[in-house]
Amino acid sequence: DVKVTQSSRYLVKRTGEKVFLECVQDMDHENMFWYRQDPGLGLRLIYFSYDVKMKEKGDIPEGYSVSREKKERFSLILESASTNQTSMYLCASSGLAEQNTGELFFGEGSRLTVL
Amino acid sequence: AQSVAQPEDQVNVAEGNPLTVKCTYSVSGNPYLFWYVQYPNRGLQFLLKYITGDNLVKGSYGFEAEFNKSQTSFHLKKPSALVSDSALYFCAVRDTGGGNKLTFGTGTQLKVEL
């Protein structure tokens, strides 16, 4: 089974702190994604990556950056956390086999609270 | 740009009754449509997809979805609901630019009661 692991299930940070959310997948997938989930807004794409060291902005990249130094790892970075970044963050991956089918494999999510 | 709409925030149904969770889409070209389910405090799980072919798509856990091109809809259905089906359901459409970038709806909370 594909496993997408997010390093922290729950985090509490203070405004202005730098926050790292880590995601690792074990299926050698090319594509990795970061979404945030908010009630009434569904999932919104922050950043995605189709290859190592490659990144593309999604629909709401402001206030975020990403890093993909290794194929299996995709990190989301909040340079200076703000209260409006309190949310559930979901990492997902997919491989070439899913390129034409759209199936994504999701991690369990990281619930971030910024005080 | 492509989009999906889920008009109902919540759907309530009695166990054993049929259920429908609605989704409409807007996309240029042929749509690639998906349903995902999220159980409490968990990530999303893929349920089913429509890419081409038969308009009735069968997926996991007894769910199916009906693609209707004239109504631009892709409603999720199950003939007999279970309490364990209670979860948050998301409709999604794949970006027409290729790759696996998906745009999700706002989600519908399904509550199945005894």
Side-chain angles (χ1 to χ4, degrees):
Chain A
D1 280 354
V2 175
K3 192 158 181 69
V4 179
T5 303
Q6 295 184 230
S7 56
S8 304
R9 291 296 305 276
Y10 301 94
L11 303 94
V12 179
K13 299 292 182 181
R14 297 209 173 272
T15 301
E17 280 192 75
K18 191 169 186 175
V19 181
F20 292 87
L21 299 179
E22 305 285 344
C23 176
V24 177
Q25 49 91 6
D26 65 356
M27 282 299 292
D28 201 35
H29 280 171
E30 287 73 19
N31 309 314
M32 296 189 75
F33 306 83
W34 275 106
Y35 287 89
R36 66 175 281 177
Q37 180 182 5
D38 300 288
L41 297 177
L43 275 72
R44 293 178 291 168
L45 183 63
I46 305 171
Y47 268 96
F48 59 104
S49 169
Y50 288 144
D51 203 350
V52 176
K53 296 192 185 294
M54 177 270 177
K55 61 186 179 185
E56 289 195 33
K57 294 180 180 179
D59 300 316
I60 53 163
E62 296 78 18
Y64 303 94
S65 62
V66 290
S67 173
R68 192 158 181 210
E69 294 296 318
K70 293 185 178 181
K71 190 175 185 180
E72 67 271 17
R73 187 179 297 270
F74 193 36
S75 303
L76 180 69
I77 304 157
L78 288 67
E79 293 289 343
S80 178
S82 64
T83 55
N84 63 12
Q85 293 178 310
T86 291
S87 186
M88 170 71 90
Y89 291 87
L90 293 168
C91 176
S93 74
S94 70
L96 289 178
E98 294 84 21
Q99 194 79 7
N100 293 321
T101 65
E103 182 173 355
L104 299 183
F105 298 88
F106 281 86
E108 299 280 90
S110 297
R111 187 169 293 280
L112 172 66
T113 301
V114 183
L115 302 175
Chain B
Q2 67 284 342
S3 64
V4 290
Q6 295 182 243
E8 303 154 317
D9 291 335
Q10 181 160 322
V11 169
N12 297 321
V13 65
E15 189 174 50
N17 283 0
L19 69 87
T20 298
V21 182
K22 295 180 180 177
C23 173
T24 58
Y25 67 89
S26 174
V27 63
S28 57
N30 295 321
Y32 283 30
L33 297 161
F34 308 87
W35 278 101
Y36 283 78
V37 60
Q38 185 181 37
Y39 297 102
N41 298 314
R42 304 294 296 275
L44 274 69
Q45 297 177 34
F46 171 80
L47 268 183
L48 51 79
K49 64 180 181 282
Y50 172 83
I51 296 184
T52 187
D54 196 350
N55 288 344
L56 186 64
V57 180
K58 294 190 182 299
S60 307
Y61 313 121
F63 283 93
E64 57 192 25
E66 186 171 12
F67 172 70
N68 187 316
K69 189 173 183 177
S70 63
Q71 297 185 6
T72 62
S73 67
F74 188 56
H75 300 332
L76 182 70
K77 300 183 179 187
K78 188 173 183 182
S80 178
L82 299 172
V83 171
S84 57
D85 293 329
S86 298
L88 187 56
Y89 290 82
F90 289 97
C91 182
V93 61
R94 202 185 84 168
D95 188 89
T96 51
N100 258 6
K101 192 178 140 186
L102 299 186
T103 297
F104 287 84
T106 52
T108 299
Q109 185 70 49
L110 174 66
K111 187 173 183 182
V112 182
E113 299 167 312
L114 290 169

mmCIF file of all heavy atoms in Angstrom, chain A residues 7 20 29 33 37 48 52 65 76 78 87 91 114:
data_model
loop_
_atom_site.group_PDB
_atom_site.id
_atom_site.type_symbol
_atom_site.label_atom_id
_atom_site.label_comp_id
_atom_site.label_asym_id
_atom_site.label_seq_id
_atom_site.Cartn_x
_atom_site.Cartn_y
_atom_site.Cartn_z
ATOM 1 N N SER A 7 4.728 14.415 9.129
ATOM 2 C CA SER A 7 5.522 14.250 10.340
ATOM 3 C C SER A 7 4.774 14.630 11.603
ATOM 4 O O SER A 7 4.993 14.024 12.652
ATOM 5 C CB SER A 7 6.803 15.065 10.228
ATOM 6 O OG SER A 7 6.493 16.421 9.961
ATOM 7 N N PHE A 20 7.730 24.344 9.700
ATOM 8 C CA PHE A 20 8.036 23.348 8.677
ATOM 9 C C PHE A 20 7.043 22.197 8.803
ATOM 10 O O PHE A 20 6.893 21.611 9.866
ATOM 11 C CB PHE A 20 9.456 22.796 8.856
ATOM 12 C CG PHE A 20 10.545 23.775 8.590
ATOM 13 C CD1 PHE A 20 10.992 24.610 9.595
ATOM 14 C CD2 PHE A 20 11.123 23.857 7.333
ATOM 15 C CE1 PHE A 20 12.007 25.526 9.344
ATOM 16 C CE2 PHE A 20 12.138 24.762 7.082
ATOM 17 C CZ PHE A 20 12.581 25.599 8.094
ATOM 18 N N HIS A 29 6.857 8.174 -6.029
ATOM 19 C CA HIS A 29 5.964 8.995 -6.846
ATOM 20 C C HIS A 29 6.653 10.269 -7.313
ATOM 21 O O HIS A 29 7.412 10.892 -6.573
ATOM 22 C CB HIS A 29 4.718 9.377 -6.044
ATOM 23 C CG HIS A 29 3.709 8.283 -5.986
ATOM 24 N ND1 HIS A 29 2.594 8.357 -5.166
ATOM 25 C CD2 HIS A 29 3.602 7.113 -6.645
ATOM 26 C CE1 HIS A 29 1.861 7.280 -5.339
ATOM 27 N NE2 HIS A 29 2.456 6.505 -6.219
ATOM 28 N N PHE A 33 1.932 17.126 -3.643
ATOM 29 C CA PHE A 33 1.042 18.281 -3.529
ATOM 30 C C PHE A 33 0.874 18.662 -2.068
ATOM 31 O O PHE A 33 0.866 17.800 -1.185
ATOM 32 C CB PHE A 33 -0.349 17.935 -4.082
ATOM 33 C CG PHE A 33 -0.341 17.385 -5.481
ATOM 34 C CD1 PHE A 33 -0.089 16.032 -5.712
ATOM 35 C CD2 PHE A 33 -0.598 18.204 -6.565
ATOM 36 C CE1 PHE A 33 -0.087 15.512 -6.996
ATOM 37 C CE2 PHE A 33 -0.596 17.687 -7.857
ATOM 38 C CZ PHE A 33 -0.336 16.345 -8.069
ATOM 39 N N GLN A 37 -7.079 22.604 4.037
ATOM 40 C CA GLN A 37 -8.503 22.305 4.122
ATOM 41 C C GLN A 37 -9.135 23.170 5.194
ATOM 42 O O GLN A 37 -8.700 23.159 6.349
ATOM 43 C CB GLN A 37 -8.729 20.828 4.465
ATOM 44 C CG GLN A 37 -10.193 20.450 4.581
ATOM 45 C CD GLN A 37 -10.392 18.996 4.964
ATOM 46 O OE1 GLN A 37 -9.444 18.261 5.230
ATOM 47 N NE2 GLN A 37 -11.636 18.558 4.989
ATOM 48 N N PHE A 48 2.633 22.512 -5.691
ATOM 49 C CA PHE A 48 2.840 21.147 -6.106
ATOM 50 C C PHE A 48 4.185 21.017 -6.804
ATOM 51 O O PHE A 48 4.821 22.016 -7.146
ATOM 52 C CB PHE A 48 1.696 20.638 -6.990
ATOM 53 C CG PHE A 48 1.467 21.426 -8.253
ATOM 54 C CD1 PHE A 48 1.873 20.946 -9.477
ATOM 55 C CD2 PHE A 48 0.789 22.645 -8.217
ATOM 56 C CE1 PHE A 48 1.642 21.646 -10.646
ATOM 57 C CE2 PHE A 48 0.554 23.364 -9.379
ATOM 58 C CZ PHE A 48 0.974 22.866 -10.586
ATOM 59 N N VAL A 52 11.962 16.362 -8.555
ATOM 60 C CA VAL A 52 12.900 16.885 -7.558
ATOM 61 C C VAL A 52 13.341 18.292 -7.958
ATOM 62 O O VAL A 52 13.577 18.568 -9.136
ATOM 63 C CB VAL A 52 14.114 15.951 -7.443
ATOM 64 C CG1 VAL A 52 15.153 16.529 -6.488
ATOM 65 C CG2 VAL A 52 13.687 14.573 -6.989
ATOM 66 N N SER A 65 6.119 28.603 1.182
ATOM 67 C CA SER A 65 7.112 28.148 0.227
ATOM 68 C C SER A 65 7.258 26.646 0.395
ATOM 69 O O SER A 65 6.721 26.059 1.347
ATOM 70 C CB SER A 65 8.455 28.861 0.433
ATOM 71 O OG SER A 65 8.982 28.566 1.717
ATOM 72 N N LEU A 76 6.570 21.796 3.306
ATOM 73 C CA LEU A 76 5.849 23.074 3.236
ATOM 74 C C LEU A 76 6.389 23.972 4.335
ATOM 75 O O LEU A 76 6.520 23.552 5.476
ATOM 76 C CB LEU A 76 4.347 22.851 3.424
ATOM 77 C CG LEU A 76 3.457 24.096 3.374
ATOM 78 C CD1 LEU A 76 3.431 24.666 1.956
ATOM 79 C CD2 LEU A 76 2.045 23.767 3.832
ATOM 80 N N LEU A 78 6.176 27.750 6.271
ATOM 81 C CA LEU A 78 5.531 29.018 6.574
ATOM 82 C C LEU A 78 6.611 29.912 7.141
ATOM 83 O O LEU A 78 7.090 29.692 8.256
ATOM 84 C CB LEU A 78 4.394 28.833 7.574
ATOM 85 C CG LEU A 78 3.111 28.147 7.098
ATOM 86 C CD1 LEU A 78 3.323 26.685 6.753
ATOM 87 C CD2 LEU A 78 2.014 28.306 8.135
ATOM 88 N N SER A 87 -5.078 25.964 10.122
ATOM 89 C CA SER A 87 -5.797 25.142 9.159
ATOM 90 C C SER A 87 -5.340 23.695 9.267
ATOM 91 O O SER A 87 -4.411 23.362 10.010
ATOM 92 C CB SER A 87 -5.521 25.645 7.731
ATOM 93 O OG SER A 87 -6.315 24.966 6.773
ATOM 94 N N CYS A 91 -1.014 16.614 2.621
ATOM 95 C CA CYS A 91 -0.036 16.295 1.597
ATOM 96 C C CYS A 91 -0.579 15.137 0.767
ATOM 97 O O CYS A 91 -1.269 14.252 1.290
ATOM 98 C CB CYS A 91 1.285 15.901 2.246
ATOM 99 S SG CYS A 91 2.562 15.379 1.095
ATOM 100 N N VAL A 114 -2.141 28.524 14.892
ATOM 101 C CA VAL A 114 -1.221 29.640 15.088
ATOM 102 C C VAL A 114 -1.863 30.610 16.076
ATOM 103 O O VAL A 114 -2.958 31.138 15.828
ATOM 104 C CB VAL A 114 -0.900 30.347 13.769
ATOM 105 C CG1 VAL A 114 0.117 31.465 14.011
ATOM 106 C CG2 VAL A 114 -0.355 29.363 12.738
#
